[in-house]
Amino acid sequence: MKVAKFGGTSMASAAQFKKVYDIIKADGDRKVIVVSAPGKRYKEDTKVTDLLIAVADQFLATGNADEELNRVIARYQEIADDLELGPAVMERISGDLHALLTQDATDSARFLDAVKAAGEDNSAKLFAAFLQSQGEDAHYVNPRKAGLLVSDEPANAQVLPEAYERLNASLRGRSGITIFPGFFGFSQEGVLVTFSRGGSDITGSILAAAVKADLYENFTDVDSVFSVNPNLVNNPKDIKEITYREMRELSYAGFSVFHEDALLPAYMGRIPVCIKNTNNPSAPGTMVTLERHTVAETVVGIASDGGFCSIYMSKYLMNREIGFGRRVLQILEEEGLSYEHTPSGIDNISVILRDKNFDEEKEQRITDRIKNELQVDDFAIERDLALVMIVGEGMRRSVGVSARATAALARADVNIEMINQGSSEVSMMFGVKAYDADRAVIALYEEFFGESK
Amino acid sequence: MKVAKFGGTSMASAAQFKKVYDIIKADGDRKVIVVSAPGKRYKEDTKVTDLLIAVADQFLATGNADEELNRVIARYQEIADDLELGPAVMERISGDLHALLTQDATDSARFLDAVKAAGEDNSAKLFAAFLQSQGEDAHYVNPRKAGLLVSDEPANAQVLPEAYERLNASLRGRSGITIFPGFFGFSQEGVLVTFSRGGSDITGSILAAAVKADLYENFTDVDSVFSVNPNLVNNPKDIKEITYREMRELSYAGFSVFHEDALLPAYMGRIPVCIKNTNNPSAPGTMVTLERHTVAETVVGIASDGGFCSIYMSKYLMNREIGFGRRVLQILEEEGLSYEHTPSGIDNISVILRDKNFDEEKEQRITDRIKNELQVDDFAIERDLALVMIVGEGMRRSVGVSARATAALARADVNIEMINQGSSEVSMMFGVKAYDADRAVIALYEEFFGESK
């Protein structure tokens, strides 16, 4: 049995619906289908999810969002018309969408979750109707009835452990094709809660683990995951095989093909993941597995992510002071900040963190606390840093990767602010100024993937 | 005013005493002289401090150490004879040494401290007598009377803050030449306590800071500090200028020319330190200062130290777990272990520590606690690691140092287990297997100091 998830562009139009249907038909094992809300049909188009957010915003602001709602209905209507579906399904979808605005909107976060989720939910209903119109034994399944239990955190739901068994019981034995809306589940109290944005990948991964699928196929609009951001390099090398760990490190550093949180359920269930292209299904795609066979390629991908900052402090004989580092981390924890790395010298330590939660007020408080409580000699905060990562299993066992990487960065005149290597066997990390990040990525790509290599 | 400290080889014989006297005579500013116990006269010789430790051990074991004590007395006697000093000083020294064995030996740590300290104390008395015999206005000064107050930790005394003012008051205004024994002070209760081994350097540094000396001269038996261990490289480059910070990093990584703890008082008092050779006093030596003028030389020294180990752990989505790193450090702290560095990946962290305090019992307890309390996925302990350091001010601002270093290590087929760069502006640190350490140091020396560079 395979679980296949189709993203927004795969569900954007009737033509795309047909491609998805062809893909399902081509492999009888594709029994559980997870769908996103209709995405963009062309570059300037608006995704249904964004239309729905506009509905919710408008309704919360003025109490009326008929115009915005009609735009959403029109998107589904266009697909239904092009697929020549009867009126029944659109009556159901339209009724469903109008009902959204009759519910209690006092809690705006819950209201927003409910409105956003309608994008996937009705996409699933419409797609099931289409398959039925083609004579398929296909059925929409509601996440609540199926047992997709999640934590009660609006826009950030986490799957609950008991969901797996319940989903297994309700999905595993079903005949025909199950069409399942992505992106949301229900709390123990039966309240709808969404995952973070892009969370249909997560739904697919949970279902794949729950039904112990042989494969989780994640259909998107690229042939494969690339070894580097294609906006930086022309025709970058594609990745045929990648391990969960490598994928996780690349996601961390900004690779957005696959939702970062979607990896965990598949990893825990040891379900291989294949990232494929709805528009070119014969392309082999990228396989994500526990181990990869093409180990000869030491480096699998290069990525960078901005938005980091560092807190530097030094104190003479710091390394004699038992508990110093622990106290630094304790202060950050008490101020609600998580950190990423702590490179250290003998008498100094830097803490690298993402600066999105590190506002000026927190900066002031942490500065005061570290200076007063830890009596440091020097203290400095540096913003606008980027982390550049080279990712590949077995890199650590390969003499010379760091030599090649640092030489490439030196040739590109990139000053290395930080090197962090030694714990992960799968990656090497360089801290650079944000304005050097793209140049660093390109230089490293040239070194490890360039023509002459 | 200058404080000059003379080490064990400088005080090893009558001939050496004369050299020291010549050095003092050559500069009228050398007013405070700190002396070590007589050291080795030739390679197979035994230091007086080691003879004294044998006295204490034998006495504690059998209640009689006359034979061992006579060997100590003979060393002083030989010097006194060769200098043709009258019998008075040796009567005093001999009486002093015999009196050691009449004191209470119940507390063996205190007894050992008192016996060891006699080496420096009598060296100072003998040297003062020699200078007086030459017509100098020179006087032995007792650390207790002078106010060298230290903490009550046998063999590991730390200077107390109030010592500085008291030493200043008792030494600053003295006429003539002060001869001061190194290596020990007295607690608030008047009990003799020694510094850690080699602690005469510390005494000199404390006195230099106390009297606000223009210079602290540390006379030893090498012309200067070398940029690399001379046992590994023939005729290594000498260091003419080095900053406190650089010196501290090199000391940390095994440079033993100057006692690590001796740097702090000089640094705090901003007293420049000059390391010179008693046997070749016209050589300029190595100056240790706050800033160095020869900044063009990016790398000042290369060193390595063994005896490290790493504790590695990984846990999927570790970086989302607020407080994870802090809890790791807390466990180590609760088990009384201090750590050196914590390189980290995204879902893994390594803790590097010196393995001398990390015995099997502690290893077992920490393994259990980390596995149980932190629920890690993987856990491993690796021993026999060495840290190799490249030290130099301004290195961080220099593009390409890491490229040259990693390339040199790759050429020498050294696998880099860890790179830690980014916090210290003065050093770059590589973790390697202990058996690779010497090869790594030689390769780095060749790269940064080799003939063709």
Side-chain angles (χ1 to χ4, degrees):
Chain A
M1 187 193 258
K2 292 177 184 169
V3 173
K5 179 259 168 184
F6 293 89
T9 55
S10 305
M11 308 305 293
S13 67
Q16 294 297 88
F17 268 50
K18 287 176 183 165
K19 286 185 194 165
V20 172
Y21 177 39
D22 287 343
I23 289 168
I24 294 169
K25 268 198 301 192
D27 186 342
D29 285 344
R30 290 176 178 139
K31 304 275 278 178
V32 178
I33 310 301
V34 177
V35 297
S36 293
K40 292 184 179 185
R41 292 158 295 185
Y42 42 87
K43 197 164 175 242
E44 298 76 21
D45 200 11
T46 307
K47 297 175 181 179
V48 164
T49 304
D50 288 320
L51 294 177
L52 284 164
I53 292 171
V55 168
D57 288 349
Q58 184 67 20
F59 187 80
L60 288 169
T62 67
N64 185 308
D66 289 348
E67 195 184 318
E68 287 74 16
L69 196 67
N70 285 334
R71 273 193 218 119
V72 175
I73 294 170
R75 284 292 306 268
Y76 291 107
Q77 187 70 58
E78 181 194 287
I79 298 171
D81 289 348
D82 289 351
L83 294 173
E84 297 172 1
L85 303 180
V89 65
M90 275 313 297
E91 274 165 30
R92 187 178 168 197
I93 289 174
S94 176
D96 207 83
L97 287 166
H98 279 107
L100 285 176
L101 303 187
T102 63
Q103 65 187 324
D104 180 20
T106 328
D107 186 333
S108 61
R110 289 197 187 291
F111 179 72
L112 185 60
D113 265 20
V115 173
K116 281 191 298 184
E120 276 71 12
D121 201 46
N122 288 300
S123 184
K125 287 171 187 162
L126 190 60
F127 189 65
F130 168 54
L131 261 55
Q132 285 159 13
S133 77
Q134 302 297 306
E136 297 288 346
D137 178 20
H139 298 276
Y140 160 85
V141 170
N142 182 278
R144 182 173 180 176
K145 286 192 184 142
L148 180 36
L149 288 169
V150 298
S151 64
D152 194 5
E153 302 166 76
N156 192 33
Q158 307 293 323
V159 64
L160 298 182
E162 51 268 45
Y164 291 98
E165 210 166 304
R166 295 182 57 174
L167 287 164
N168 184 289
S170 57
L171 298 180
R172 181 90 202 174
R174 280 182 71 91
S175 66
I177 301 166
T178 296
I179 312 296
F180 202 101
F183 190 38
F184 66 97
F186 286 84
S187 72
Q188 295 274 21
E189 288 72 35
V191 178
L192 185 155
V193 199
T194 69
F195 297 118
S196 55
R197 187 82 196 249
S200 292
D201 287 353
I202 305 173
T203 304
S205 185
I206 292 167
L207 298 197
V211 304
K212 302 187 191 347
D214 301 310
L215 182 64
Y216 170 35
E217 294 177 309
N218 195 281
F219 281 89
T220 173
D221 54 5
V222 290
D223 277 358
S224 59
V225 179
F226 291 116
S227 51
V228 71
N229 182 346
N231 295 327
L232 293 179
V233 172
N234 280 332
N235 297 317
K237 195 169 177 301
D238 59 329
I239 298 176
K240 291 189 174 55
E241 273 191 303
I242 187 170
T243 67
Y244 299 112
R245 298 200 299 174
E246 290 170 333
M247 190 72 187
R248 162 118 175 88
E249 308 246 345
L250 287 173
S251 297
Y252 170 85
F255 268 41
S256 58
V257 176
F258 191 58
H259 196 297
E260 199 185 345
D261 286 357
L263 215 50
L264 185 61
Y267 168 77
M268 298 300 281
R270 299 291 189 265
I271 314 295
V273 180
C274 189
I275 292 158
K276 287 178 75 78
N277 189 352
T278 298
N279 304 315
N280 184 20
S282 62
T286 298
M287 279 294 289
V288 188
T289 53
L290 200 60
E291 287 172 9
R292 63 183 165 99
H293 304 95
T294 50
V295 281
E297 300 168 75
T298 308
V299 176
V300 74
I302 289 159
S304 80
D305 201 15
F308 292 92
C309 62
S310 79
I311 304 174
Y312 165 88
M313 67 208 80
S314 75
K315 184 176 185 181
Y316 203 78
L317 295 183
M318 179 190 286
N319 86 321
R320 303 275 182 86
E321 224 174 285
I322 291 194
F324 188 94
R326 196 261 309 151
R327 279 150 69 206
V328 172
L329 300 186
Q330 184 108 45
I331 288 174
L332 292 179
E333 195 176 333
E334 284 165 9
E335 298 296 338
L337 284 174
S338 67
Y339 74 96
E340 306 291 317
H341 305 285
T342 55
S344 55
I346 293 164
D347 291 333
N348 45 62
I349 183 166
S350 291
V351 183
I352 312 286
L353 56 165
R354 291 199 188 258
D355 64 10
K356 67 169 186 282
N357 301 317
F358 192 50
D359 56 29
E360 277 184 28
E361 192 202 319
K362 277 209 171 131
E363 171 172 336
Q364 193 53 56
R365 214 162 45 227
I366 282 171
T367 303
D368 290 347
R369 287 194 63 183
I370 287 177
K371 284 185 177 172
N372 293 332
E373 295 173 27
L374 299 177
Q375 298 282 318
V376 296
D377 297 335
D378 289 307
F379 181 88
I381 287 175
E382 194 176 351
R383 290 191 180 260
D384 297 320
L385 295 178
L387 293 185
V388 177
M389 310 243 310
I390 307 176
V391 175
E393 293 275 353
M395 224 168 54
R396 194 179 174 187
R397 291 187 298 275
S398 170
V399 169
V401 171
S402 49
R404 288 174 65 188
T406 50
L409 293 175
R411 280 196 304 273
D413 206 29
V414 171
N415 201 4
I416 302 171
E417 303 278 316
M418 177 191 101
I419 304 178
N420 200 342
Q421 186 213 334
S423 190
S424 171
E425 294 185 348
V426 227
S427 72
M428 191 177 302
M429 186 183 298
F430 297 95
V432 302
K433 298 273 188 199
Y435 55 72
D436 275 342
D438 285 352
R439 213 149 25 85
V441 168
I442 293 166
L444 292 170
Y445 182 82
E446 280 302 315
E447 174 63 31
F448 290 101
F449 295 94
E451 284 305 309
S452 59
K453 309 293 161 185
Chain B
M1 187 195 256
K2 293 176 184 168
V3 172
K5 177 260 169 185
F6 293 89
T9 55
S10 305
M11 308 304 292
S13 66
Q16 293 298 88
F17 268 48
K18 287 176 184 166
K19 286 186 195 166
V20 173
Y21 176 40
D22 287 341
I23 289 168
I24 295 169
K25 269 198 301 191
D27 186 341
D29 285 343
R30 289 174 178 139
K31 302 276 279 180
V32 177
I33 310 300
V34 177
V35 297
S36 292
K40 293 184 179 186
R41 293 158 294 186
Y42 43 87
K43 198 162 172 245
E44 297 75 22
D45 200 9
T46 306
K47 297 175 182 180
V48 163
T49 304
D50 288 319
L51 294 176
L52 285 163
I53 291 170
V55 168
D57 288 348
Q58 183 66 21
F59 187 80
L60 287 170
T62 67
N64 185 307
D66 289 350
E67 196 182 318
E68 287 74 14
L69 195 67
N70 285 335
R71 275 193 214 116
V72 175
I73 295 170
R75 283 294 305 269
Y76 291 107
Q77 186 71 56
E78 181 194 288
I79 297 171
D81 289 348
D82 289 351
L83 294 173
E84 297 173 358
L85 302 180
V89 64
M90 275 312 299
E91 274 165 28
R92 187 176 167 197
I93 288 173
S94 176
D96 208 81
L97 289 166
H98 278 107
L100 285 176
L101 302 188
T102 64
Q103 65 186 326
D104 179 20
T106 327
D107 185 334
S108 62
R110 290 198 186 290
F111 179 71
L112 185 61
D113 265 19
V115 173
K116 282 191 297 184
E120 275 71 11
D121 201 48
N122 289 300
S123 184
K125 286 172 187 161
L126 190 61
F127 188 64
F130 169 52
L131 261 55
Q132 285 159 11
S133 78
Q134 302 298 308
E136 297 290 344
D137 178 20
H139 298 276
Y140 160 84
V141 170
N142 183 279
R144 182 173 180 178
K145 286 192 184 141
L148 179 38
L149 287 169
V150 296
S151 65
D152 194 5
E153 302 166 77
N156 191 32
Q158 307 292 322
V159 64
L160 298 182
E162 53 267 45
Y164 290 99
E165 209 166 306
R166 295 182 55 173
L167 287 164
N168 184 288
S170 57
L171 298 180
R172 181 90 202 173
R174 280 182 71 91
S175 65
I177 301 165
T178 296
I179 312 295
F180 202 102
F183 190 39
F184 67 96
F186 286 83
S187 73
Q188 294 275 20
E189 288 72 35
V191 178
L192 184 155
V193 199
T194 69
F195 296 119
S196 55
R197 187 82 196 248
S200 293
D201 287 353
I202 305 174
T203 303
S205 185
I206 293 167
L207 298 197
V211 304
K212 302 187 194 339
D214 302 308
L215 183 65
Y216 169 35
E217 294 177 309
N218 195 284
F219 281 90
T220 173
D221 53 6
V222 289
D223 277 359
S224 59
V225 179
F226 291 117
S227 50
V228 69
N229 181 347
N231 295 328
L232 293 179
V233 172
N234 280 332
N235 296 317
K237 195 168 176 303
D238 59 329
I239 298 175
K240 292 190 171 55
E241 273 191 303
I242 188 169
T243 67
Y244 299 112
R245 298 201 299 174
E246 290 170 332
M247 191 70 189
R248 162 117 175 89
E249 307 245 347
L250 287 174
S251 297
Y252 169 86
F255 268 43
S256 58
V257 176
F258 190 57
H259 196 295
E260 200 184 346
D261 286 356
L263 216 50
L264 183 62
Y267 168 76
M268 298 299 280
R270 299 291 189 266
I271 313 296
V273 179
C274 190
I275 293 159
K276 287 178 74 80
N277 189 352
T278 297
N279 305 316
N280 183 18
S282 62
T286 298
M287 278 293 290
V288 188
T289 53
L290 200 59
E291 288 171 8
R292 64 184 164 99
H293 303 96
T294 49
V295 280
E297 300 169 75
T298 307
V299 176
V300 73
I302 289 160
S304 80
D305 202 14
F308 291 91
C309 62
S310 80
I311 304 174
Y312 165 88
M313 67 208 79
S314 75
K315 183 176 185 180
Y316 203 78
L317 295 183
M318 179 190 286
N319 86 320
R320 303 274 183 86
E321 223 173 289
I322 291 194
F324 188 95
R326 195 262 308 150
R327 279 150 68 207
V328 173
L329 300 187
Q330 184 107 46
I331 289 174
L332 292 178
E333 195 176 333
E334 284 165 11
E335 298 296 337
L337 284 175
S338 66
Y339 73 98
E340 305 292 317
H341 305 285
T342 56
S344 55
I346 293 166
D347 291 332
N348 44 62
I349 184 168
S350 292
V351 183
I352 312 286
L353 55 166
R354 291 198 187 258
D355 64 10
K356 66 169 188 280
N357 302 316
F358 192 50
D359 55 30
E360 278 184 28
E361 191 202 321
K362 277 209 171 130
E363 172 172 335
Q364 193 53 56
R365 215 162 45 227
I366 282 171
T367 302
D368 291 346
R369 287 195 63 184
I370 287 178
K371 284 184 177 172
N372 294 332
E373 296 173 29
L374 300 177
Q375 297 283 315
V376 297
D377 298 334
D378 289 308
F379 181 88
I381 287 175
E382 193 178 351
R383 291 189 179 260
D384 296 321
L385 294 177
L387 293 184
V388 177
M389 311 244 311
I390 308 178
V391 175
E393 293 276 352
M395 225 168 53
R396 193 178 174 187
R397 290 187 299 275
S398 171
V399 169
V401 170
S402 48
R404 289 174 64 189
T406 49
L409 293 175
R411 280 196 304 274
D413 205 29
V414 171
N415 201 4
I416 302 172
E417 303 278 318
M418 176 191 103
I419 304 178
N420 199 343
Q421 185 211 334
S423 190
S424 172
E425 295 186 346
V426 226
S427 71
M428 191 178 302
M429 187 183 301
F430 298 94
V432 302
K433 298 272 188 201
Y435 55 73
D436 275 342
D438 285 352
R439 211 150 24 86
V441 169
I442 293 166
L444 292 171
Y445 182 81
E446 279 302 313
E447 174 61 32
F448 290 101
F449 295 95
E451 284 305 309
S452 59
K453 310 293 161 184

